[in-house]
Amino acid sequence: CSDPPSPPSPQQPPSQPAQTQQPLPSSGTTTPQRQLSSTEQPRGPTAAAAKGKPGKSRGGVSRASEGDLDPAPDVPICARSTVMLRNLPNNYNRRMLLEMLDSEGYTGKFDFLYLPIDFKTRACLGYAFVNLISPSLVDGFWKIFDGYSNWAIPSKKVAYVSWCGPHQGYEAHVGRYRNSPVMHDSVPDEYRPIILADGVRMPFPPPTKKARAPRVRNFMRRHPPSGSSGRQHQEKA
């Protein structure tokens, strides 16, 4: 994964008399090769690699407002497999996201998915974590979903892709969430991260310690743990 070493500097040839370069004969209008200015950046996973700085999405929405901008992952680019889909419609849910990924040919090509939900509004936060089963799939994923707008519901949002950091990979994300409050019994299943194998959902590894309930006002009243009493729970049963 590391960059190849720089080749040794070639020896300087003996000095020769300077020659005046003759101009090429004009053959009509020529188009010089365009150079990127200091404010322009190439697109793609390699170009977006490491800085993690906030910017503007295509819809003019501040990227910093769409979720926590985590530090850049301390993983070589060629070994990264986890990306973030940003600027998703806030009315999207996990089922719709899964259907979108499947419709674009990614069935069986990712093994972790998490669409964070605001417990108060029950709307998604506009971004999702996706871990692809191989770093080699990242480039194709980036090309499809960076600029994506083929939503299942009316929306003017245009998605973009960024690296996920500091956590990268399946094991890192399972370790991050298996003891998280989002895995507490009081949290509805559709709010939780999921893992998959060959496109089939698998049981999430059990916690290694007791998960705390989310610290959200009125959340326990609205979403009592399974098996407990409560009007909201009885209406859903």
Side-chain angles (χ1 to χ4, degrees):
C1 277
S2 58
D3 295 333
S6 302
S9 302
Q11 295 181 353
Q12 296 294 332
S15 59
Q16 296 180 356
Q19 297 180 355
T20 302
Q21 185 176 2
Q22 298 296 326
L24 295 176
S26 176
S27 59
T29 303
T30 59
T31 303
Q33 186 175 2
R34 180 176 179 273
Q35 300 291 331
L36 287 176
S37 68
S38 59
T39 59
E40 292 179 297
Q41 296 295 332
R43 291 176 55 190
T46 303
K51 294 187 178 179
K53 293 182 179 179
K56 292 287 184 179
S57 70
R58 291 175 182 80
V61 180
S62 171
R63 295 186 178 186
S65 68
E66 296 180 17
D68 50 337
L69 283 172
D70 294 324
D74 188 18
V75 177
I77 298 173
C78 60
R80 300 179 190 178
S81 60
T82 313
V83 295
M84 292 185 70
L85 268 174
R86 293 184 177 269
N87 209 30
L88 302 174
N90 295 95
N91 290 335
Y92 250 51
N93 56 38
R94 192 179 64 199
R95 175 186 58 80
M96 298 166 72
L97 182 58
L98 284 167
E99 291 175 352
M100 182 187 80
L101 295 173
D102 290 346
S103 70
E104 296 295 339
Y106 278 85
T107 303
K109 296 182 180 180
F110 59 96
D111 52 18
F112 177 91
L113 178 70
Y114 180 38
L115 178 68
I117 301 293
D118 186 315
F119 291 158
K120 293 181 179 179
T121 65
R122 306 188 189 185
C124 85
L125 299 181
Y127 59 93
F129 303 90
V130 183
N131 184 68
L132 300 163
I133 60 175
S134 170
S136 64
L137 297 171
V138 170
D139 186 62
F141 186 95
W142 208 291
K143 290 177 180 177
I144 291 175
F145 293 106
D146 193 64
Y148 190 87
S149 60
N150 189 24
W151 310 116
I153 58 176
S155 176
K156 294 182 180 180
K157 284 196 169 186
V158 178
Y160 62 92
V161 183
S162 68
W163 288 116
C164 175
H167 301 279
Q168 271 289 319
Y170 174 85
E171 296 293 340
H173 280 85
V174 169
R176 177 183 183 182
Y177 289 106
R178 67 190 306 177
N179 296 318
S180 169
V182 78
M183 302 302 293
H184 191 266
D185 289 341
S186 63
V187 178
D189 177 75
E190 61 268 24
Y191 292 10
R192 303 181 187 186
I194 60 172
I195 60 173
L196 307 96
D198 297 322
V200 179
R201 184 179 176 182
M202 305 298 290
F204 210 91
T208 58
K209 60 182 180 180
K210 186 176 180 179
R212 297 179 318 208
R215 296 179 180 178
V216 179
R217 183 180 300 175
N218 297 328
F219 181 80
M220 294 297 293
R221 178 176 61 81
R222 295 178 182 176
H223 302 283
S226 56
S228 65
S229 59
R231 181 178 179 183
Q232 183 76 15
H233 179 70
Q234 291 173 355
E235 290 175 350
K236 289 187 175 181

